[in-house]
Amino acid sequence: DCTGTGHMISVMKNTAKRTALVNQIVNLVNSNGYDGIDLDFEKFAFSDAQSTWAATRPAWVAFVAELSGRLRANGKKLAVAVPPMGVTGSNYWVYDWAGIEPYIDKLRIMAYDYSWSTPGPIGGPLSWVEKVAAYAVSVLPPSKVQLGTPTYGRDWVKGTSGSGCPSTRSPNCSRCSVM
């Protein structure tokens, strides 16, 4: 997502802009013969202040509802990727899981990037994942819930040493040692 702060809410709150975006997505799905689309609009929750979420939440639900209606009219499916909820430190209520439930076929929970800015596990501890899953099935039918788990790792750079090390380390830099 390359939009700036406040961009997505300005699109979702404006009926004409929202419909234009829905048209673009539906045209993409139809012209390529896709079965549906996986909507991953996570940036607005991370870049817009939480103080804006009360206004964003109903606009988000309206956008998902409009997109779903158009996709379903064409026999297409809608999945939505969302950050985890139901655990301490991860309450992205702006995504209104219960509010979008009637309009989606799958809710794909991104149960990864537990640690993303400092060294730590990529996937959350089992107890954390269990809480996320339990919350999800408390607000959606279990058949709609999918749990995304990490199948990747990170090279946590804690420091570099050596002569000729670039200021931004390349993973293949043989001149530097990484801690």
Side-chain angles (χ1 to χ4, degrees), residues 117-133:
S117 62
T118 58
I122 304 301
L126 182 57
S127 60
W128 180 85
V129 174
E130 287 172 339
K131 287 177 186 173
V132 169

PDB file of all heavy atoms in Angstrom, residues 117-133:
ATOM      1  N   SER A 117       9.788  -5.224  14.692  1.00  0.00           N
ATOM      2  CA  SER A 117      10.738  -4.113  14.751  1.00  0.00           C
ATOM      3  C   SER A 117      11.958  -4.433  15.603  1.00  0.00           C
ATOM      4  O   SER A 117      12.960  -3.738  15.520  1.00  0.00           O
ATOM      5  CB  SER A 117      10.056  -2.852  15.277  1.00  0.00           C
ATOM      6  OG  SER A 117       9.590  -3.055  16.594  1.00  0.00           O
ATOM      7  N   THR A 118      11.859  -5.465  16.413  1.00  0.00           N
ATOM      8  CA  THR A 118      12.986  -5.900  17.229  1.00  0.00           C
ATOM      9  C   THR A 118      13.089  -7.415  17.131  1.00  0.00           C
ATOM     10  O   THR A 118      12.096  -8.087  16.859  1.00  0.00           O
ATOM     11  CB  THR A 118      12.807  -5.499  18.714  1.00  0.00           C
ATOM     12  OG1 THR A 118      11.588  -6.063  19.198  1.00  0.00           O
ATOM     13  CG2 THR A 118      12.757  -3.975  18.883  1.00  0.00           C
ATOM     14  N   PRO A 119      14.277  -7.959  17.343  1.00  0.00           N
ATOM     15  CA  PRO A 119      14.436  -9.412  17.245  1.00  0.00           C
ATOM     16  C   PRO A 119      13.459 -10.170  18.145  1.00  0.00           C
ATOM     17  O   PRO A 119      13.231  -9.786  19.287  1.00  0.00           O
ATOM     18  CB  PRO A 119      15.882  -9.635  17.691  1.00  0.00           C
ATOM     19  CG  PRO A 119      16.570  -8.354  17.351  1.00  0.00           C
ATOM     20  CD  PRO A 119      15.552  -7.285  17.612  1.00  0.00           C
ATOM     21  N   GLY A 120      12.866 -11.197  17.584  1.00  0.00           N
ATOM     22  CA  GLY A 120      11.929 -12.019  18.328  1.00  0.00           C
ATOM     23  C   GLY A 120      11.236 -12.981  17.381  1.00  0.00           C
ATOM     24  O   GLY A 120      11.554 -13.039  16.191  1.00  0.00           O
ATOM     25  N   PRO A 121      10.254 -13.720  17.873  1.00  0.00           N
ATOM     26  CA  PRO A 121       9.576 -14.701  17.034  1.00  0.00           C
ATOM     27  C   PRO A 121       8.710 -14.036  15.973  1.00  0.00           C
ATOM     28  O   PRO A 121       8.113 -12.990  16.218  1.00  0.00           O
ATOM     29  CB  PRO A 121       8.717 -15.487  18.026  1.00  0.00           C
ATOM     30  CG  PRO A 121       8.505 -14.560  19.170  1.00  0.00           C
ATOM     31  CD  PRO A 121       9.733 -13.701  19.246  1.00  0.00           C
ATOM     32  N   ILE A 122       8.662 -14.631  14.809  1.00  0.00           N
ATOM     33  CA  ILE A 122       7.815 -14.119  13.724  1.00  0.00           C
ATOM     34  C   ILE A 122       6.360 -14.499  14.013  1.00  0.00           C
ATOM     35  O   ILE A 122       5.467 -13.675  13.950  1.00  0.00           O
ATOM     36  CB  ILE A 122       8.248 -14.686  12.352  1.00  0.00           C
ATOM     37  CG1 ILE A 122       9.718 -14.399  12.075  1.00  0.00           C
ATOM     38  CG2 ILE A 122       7.361 -14.137  11.242  1.00  0.00           C
ATOM     39  CD1 ILE A 122      10.110 -12.959  12.075  1.00  0.00           C
ATOM     40  N   GLY A 123       6.140 -15.751  14.325  1.00  0.00           N
ATOM     41  CA  GLY A 123       4.809 -16.219  14.709  1.00  0.00           C
ATOM     42  C   GLY A 123       4.636 -16.048  16.208  1.00  0.00           C
ATOM     43  O   GLY A 123       5.588 -16.144  16.969  1.00  0.00           O
ATOM     44  N   GLY A 124       3.425 -15.767  16.608  1.00  0.00           N
ATOM     45  CA  GLY A 124       3.161 -15.591  18.028  1.00  0.00           C
ATOM     46  C   GLY A 124       3.221 -16.901  18.780  1.00  0.00           C
ATOM     47  O   GLY A 124       3.097 -17.979  18.194  1.00  0.00           O
ATOM     48  N   PRO A 125       3.378 -16.817  20.095  1.00  0.00           N
ATOM     49  CA  PRO A 125       3.328 -18.028  20.925  1.00  0.00           C
ATOM     50  C   PRO A 125       1.979 -18.728  20.756  1.00  0.00           C
ATOM     51  O   PRO A 125       0.979 -18.075  20.427  1.00  0.00           O
ATOM     52  CB  PRO A 125       3.470 -17.491  22.353  1.00  0.00           C
ATOM     53  CG  PRO A 125       4.017 -16.117  22.212  1.00  0.00           C
ATOM     54  CD  PRO A 125       3.585 -15.605  20.877  1.00  0.00           C
ATOM     55  N   LEU A 126       1.964 -20.033  20.964  1.00  0.00           N
ATOM     56  CA  LEU A 126       0.741 -20.809  20.770  1.00  0.00           C
ATOM     57  C   LEU A 126      -0.422 -20.230  21.576  1.00  0.00           C
ATOM     58  O   LEU A 126      -1.540 -20.128  21.064  1.00  0.00           O
ATOM     59  CB  LEU A 126       0.975 -22.283  21.143  1.00  0.00           C
ATOM     60  CG  LEU A 126      -0.219 -23.202  20.933  1.00  0.00           C
ATOM     61  CD1 LEU A 126      -0.705 -23.171  19.483  1.00  0.00           C
ATOM     62  CD2 LEU A 126       0.131 -24.632  21.338  1.00  0.00           C
ATOM     63  N   SER A 127      -0.190 -19.805  22.799  1.00  0.00           N
ATOM     64  CA  SER A 127      -1.272 -19.256  23.621  1.00  0.00           C
ATOM     65  C   SER A 127      -1.846 -17.982  22.984  1.00  0.00           C
ATOM     66  O   SER A 127      -3.050 -17.734  23.042  1.00  0.00           O
ATOM     67  CB  SER A 127      -0.792 -18.965  25.042  1.00  0.00           C
ATOM     68  OG  SER A 127       0.262 -18.017  25.025  1.00  0.00           O
ATOM     69  N   TRP A 128      -0.998 -17.188  22.356  1.00  0.00           N
ATOM     70  CA  TRP A 128      -1.424 -15.967  21.671  1.00  0.00           C
ATOM     71  C   TRP A 128      -2.283 -16.321  20.460  1.00  0.00           C
ATOM     72  O   TRP A 128      -3.353 -15.757  20.265  1.00  0.00           O
ATOM     73  CB  TRP A 128      -0.173 -15.178  21.272  1.00  0.00           C
ATOM     74  CG  TRP A 128      -0.394 -13.888  20.567  1.00  0.00           C
ATOM     75  CD1 TRP A 128      -0.640 -12.669  21.146  1.00  0.00           C
ATOM     76  CD2 TRP A 128      -0.346 -13.657  19.158  1.00  0.00           C
ATOM     77  NE1 TRP A 128      -0.744 -11.705  20.178  1.00  0.00           N
ATOM     78  CE2 TRP A 128      -0.573 -12.287  18.949  1.00  0.00           C
ATOM     79  CE3 TRP A 128      -0.129 -14.479  18.058  1.00  0.00           C
ATOM     80  CZ2 TRP A 128      -0.590 -11.715  17.677  1.00  0.00           C
ATOM     81  CZ3 TRP A 128      -0.152 -13.919  16.790  1.00  0.00           C
ATOM     82  CH2 TRP A 128      -0.378 -12.548  16.611  1.00  0.00           C
ATOM     83  N   VAL A 129      -1.818 -17.260  19.655  1.00  0.00           N
ATOM     84  CA  VAL A 129      -2.558 -17.699  18.461  1.00  0.00           C
ATOM     85  C   VAL A 129      -3.906 -18.300  18.872  1.00  0.00           C
ATOM     86  O   VAL A 129      -4.928 -18.030  18.231  1.00  0.00           O
ATOM     87  CB  VAL A 129      -1.726 -18.699  17.630  1.00  0.00           C
ATOM     88  CG1 VAL A 129      -2.541 -19.261  16.478  1.00  0.00           C
ATOM     89  CG2 VAL A 129      -0.453 -18.043  17.116  1.00  0.00           C
ATOM     90  N   GLU A 130      -3.924 -19.076  19.941  1.00  0.00           N
ATOM     91  CA  GLU A 130      -5.180 -19.663  20.414  1.00  0.00           C
ATOM     92  C   GLU A 130      -6.180 -18.584  20.823  1.00  0.00           C
ATOM     93  O   GLU A 130      -7.374 -18.698  20.542  1.00  0.00           O
ATOM     94  CB  GLU A 130      -4.916 -20.616  21.583  1.00  0.00           C
ATOM     95  CG  GLU A 130      -4.264 -21.911  21.151  1.00  0.00           C
ATOM     96  CD  GLU A 130      -3.824 -22.788  22.320  1.00  0.00           C
ATOM     97  OE1 GLU A 130      -3.639 -22.264  23.455  1.00  0.00           O
ATOM     98  OE2 GLU A 130      -3.662 -24.002  22.100  1.00  0.00           O
ATOM     99  N   LYS A 131      -5.705 -17.505  21.471  1.00  0.00           N
ATOM    100  CA  LYS A 131      -6.598 -16.401  21.861  1.00  0.00           C
ATOM    101  C   LYS A 131      -7.146 -15.681  20.630  1.00  0.00           C
ATOM    102  O   LYS A 131      -8.324 -15.315  20.596  1.00  0.00           O
ATOM    103  CB  LYS A 131      -5.857 -15.416  22.773  1.00  0.00           C
ATOM    104  CG  LYS A 131      -5.622 -15.941  24.159  1.00  0.00           C
ATOM    105  CD  LYS A 131      -4.822 -14.953  24.986  1.00  0.00           C
ATOM    106  CE  LYS A 131      -4.459 -15.562  26.321  1.00  0.00           C
ATOM    107  NZ  LYS A 131      -3.543 -14.697  27.079  1.00  0.00           N
ATOM    108  N   VAL A 132      -6.294 -15.464  19.635  1.00  0.00           N
ATOM    109  CA  VAL A 132      -6.733 -14.820  18.398  1.00  0.00           C
ATOM    110  C   VAL A 132      -7.810 -15.678  17.730  1.00  0.00           C
ATOM    111  O   VAL A 132      -8.866 -15.173  17.325  1.00  0.00           O
ATOM    112  CB  VAL A 132      -5.543 -14.583  17.438  1.00  0.00           C
ATOM    113  CG1 VAL A 132      -6.027 -14.157  16.056  1.00  0.00           C
ATOM    114  CG2 VAL A 132      -4.569 -13.564  18.011  1.00  0.00           C
ATOM    115  N   ALA A 133      -7.570 -16.977  17.631  1.00  0.00           N
ATOM    116  CA  ALA A 133      -8.530 -17.887  16.997  1.00  0.00           C
ATOM    117  C   ALA A 133      -9.834 -17.940  17.795  1.00  0.00           C
ATOM    118  O   ALA A 133     -10.923 -17.930  17.204  1.00  0.00           O
ATOM    119  CB  ALA A 133      -7.922 -19.277  16.853  1.00  0.00           C
TER     120      ALA A 133
END
